[in-house]
Amino acid sequence: MRVFQLGEMFCGPGGMGLGVKLANMEWEAKGWQVQHAWAIDYDADSCATYRHSLCPEEEHKVICADVRNFDITILPKINAFAFGFPCNDFSLVGEKQGIYGKFGPLYQYGIHVLNQFEPDWFIAENVGGLRSANQGQTFLKILAELQGAGSGYELTTHLYNFADYGVPQIRQRIIIVGIKKCLNLKFLVPAPTHLNQHITARQALETPPILPGVANQEITRQSASVVARLKHILPGENAWTANIPPELRLNVKGATMSQIYKRLDPDKPAYTITGSGGGGTHVYHWEEHRALTNRERARLQTFPDDFTFYGSKESVRRQIGMAVPPLAAKVIIDAILKTFAGIDYPTITPKWQMAQSSVTDYKQLRLLEQTGCYLT
């Protein structure tokens, strides 16, 4: 049996960890397995969710700590690594401060893990907005550092739309898979499985129905003004595209984000579930005049109904929105294991190519970095 010991940084509530478990269900019989070695996150509620829902008998493996003040040298050895470094500063709905923001530099702690343990492979995940942060230079810098970490990694970078892989949600995320160069293996992007047959919001939320008593299913109490506004918003519309009476329109200048009071279209995948929740961004039911429950949001993220999230209602909403969809994680893990096992699978060409940038080579980028010319 070939066993990969997986470490996770910025693990959240366990979307990647659950994806690993789902992949193991198919691979253990083939003699391959990805075992949970340790996971780190600074959010106590996320750690509680991960512990209770994924490793209740090994709670010590989930470490609640700020990576900026944590000694990674005390961690058990790993040969696989996953980190979805915080995306707040790269997200289109965040402050977009890029690498100069509070969260932007945190990817470097993943680099430290790669240098310390030199795992055979790693997965790095972030929002699509990472490509354009600081005129694209941040993305190039991160790729260069990932490629040069440890003894060197062969990278495959792709902008995935997870709806194309069976997630009932239009969720675009950059996934970077790195494999040690010395292993002479190349990860190939798995071909979409649901390109022309997306799972709709109605299918996700109604088949099967959510049973009474399920955790995290508390209904949001909407104010009278919100209910009145929603009555004028049709499925798929938002506060800016709907025919809303003047007295119910939002008195906001310069903010026309499409997700504000946007109802789901029941016959299409949901729009992106985020960790935010204020200002009309809760995600709204296509028929009922209310925001979705956290359990409904979790379904759109492909968490099963028996996966319980811990913390306040607001904390749970944030955990769900910031998690990696487990089904999407399973797709990536499955393709990595096939790569190592030498099993062919349908593939596509990565959407992002270095040729789109004036800097077309990682080595060239490092030379620019050394001279201080890559930041203009």
Side-chain angles (χ1 to χ4, degrees):
M1 174 180 284
R2 179 69 187 276
V3 177
F4 291 106
Q5 296 291 337
L6 177 70
E8 292 184 67
M9 184 172 281
F10 315 114
C11 64
M16 181 65 69
L18 180 55
V20 167
K21 281 197 169 187
L22 295 175
N24 280 339
M25 293 172 65
E26 300 177 9
W27 279 90
E28 287 181 8
K30 302 175 184 178
W32 295 76
Q33 190 176 9
V34 180
Q35 291 184 349
H36 169 65
W38 47 260
I40 302 175
D41 200 282
Y42 82 104
D43 180 67
D45 289 340
S46 294
C47 290
T49 297
Y50 198 122
R51 290 189 187 106
H52 294 301
S53 300
L54 287 173
C55 54
E57 297 179 358
E58 297 178 306
E59 294 187 5
H60 64 282
K61 290 186 175 181
V62 180
I63 303 165
C64 189
D66 187 330
V67 296
R68 293 169 294 186
N69 305 311
F70 185 78
D71 181 10
I72 62 172
T73 63
I74 68 173
L75 292 169
K77 187 176 180 179
I78 56 172
N79 57 356
F81 180 51
F83 68 118
F85 51 102
C87 61
N88 308 55
D89 291 320
F90 305 120
S91 173
L92 295 178
V93 297
E95 296 182 10
K96 294 185 288 188
Q97 298 181 66
I99 203 169
Y100 304 111
K102 177 181 178 181
F103 300 99
L106 292 180
Y107 78 91
Q108 295 172 344
Y109 293 89
I111 302 292
H112 296 335
V113 171
L114 295 177
N115 288 330
Q116 173 70 27
F117 297 102
E118 297 194 21
D120 291 343
W121 55 266
F122 72 82
I123 302 171
E125 179 261 356
N126 208 277
V127 294
L130 175 61
R131 295 172 300 161
S132 57
N134 301 324
Q135 294 75 52
Q137 295 171 11
T138 292
F139 191 28
L140 292 171
K141 176 176 170 59
I142 291 174
L143 290 175
E145 293 188 31
L146 289 171
Q147 190 202 46
S151 56
Y153 286 90
E154 178 75 24
L155 304 184
T156 300
T157 305
H158 184 60
L159 179 65
Y160 292 76
N161 180 357
F162 290 152
D164 294 340
Y165 296 85
V167 176
Q169 175 192 165
I170 301 298
R171 191 178 187 88
Q172 297 195 65
R173 290 294 183 268
I174 290 173
I175 301 290
I176 305 166
V177 174
I179 298 179
K180 265 186 175 180
K181 286 186 176 180
C182 63
L183 297 176
N184 295 317
L185 295 172
K186 174 70 173 178
F187 176 82
L188 301 177
V189 178
T193 55
H194 291 68
L195 190 58
N196 297 311
Q197 49 182 344
H198 289 160
I199 307 299
T200 68
R202 187 194 301 275
Q203 289 173 314
L205 300 187
E206 294 186 351
T207 309
I210 297 175
L211 298 177
V214 171
N216 311 122
Q217 177 63 355
E218 303 88 352
I219 300 293
T220 299
R221 294 182 179 179
Q222 307 290 178
S223 67
S225 61
V226 169
V227 171
R229 185 176 296 119
L230 288 173
K231 288 181 178 179
H232 295 276
I233 301 176
L234 299 176
E237 292 184 338
N238 60 46
W240 317 110
T241 59
N243 185 19
I244 299 176
E247 65 273 15
L248 293 174
R249 292 175 189 167
L250 298 178
N251 185 22
V252 180
K253 295 182 179 180
T256 58
M257 193 171 70
S258 64
Q259 291 188 349
I260 301 296
Y261 290 107
K262 184 173 182 177
R263 282 191 183 271
L264 296 175
D265 184 327
D267 299 319
K268 295 180 180 180
Y271 54 91
T272 305
I273 304 300
T274 69
S276 61
T281 60
H282 285 146
V283 183
Y284 294 84
H285 197 275
W286 60 84
E287 185 176 28
E288 300 177 26
H289 305 311
R290 62 171 179 83
L292 296 189
T293 67
N294 279 328
R295 178 51 54 195
E296 290 170 328
R297 291 163 59 89
R299 274 203 176 187
L300 296 175
Q301 280 279 62
T302 69
F303 283 94
D305 290 353
D306 60 358
F307 190 101
T308 300
F309 294 85
Y310 291 80
S312 68
K313 188 175 180 181
E314 291 72 23
S315 173
V316 169
R317 182 171 59 239
R318 180 186 52 75
Q319 291 176 55
I320 293 170
M322 296 183 71
V324 176
L327 181 58
K330 177 185 180 296
V331 168
I332 305 301
I333 295 294
D334 184 66
I336 289 174
L337 292 176
K338 287 179 178 177
T339 300
F340 276 83
I343 299 174
D344 292 333
Y345 56 94
T347 64
I348 59 173
T349 302
K351 286 184 180 179
W352 195 88
Q353 301 288 342
M354 290 296 288
Q356 293 177 3
S357 169
S358 59
V359 180
T360 58
D361 186 89
Y362 297 143
K363 293 182 179 178
Q364 179 185 357
L365 177 63
R366 282 196 289 272
L367 288 174
L368 291 174
E369 183 176 5
Q370 290 169 6
T371 61
C373 296
Y374 76 96
L375 291 177
T376 59

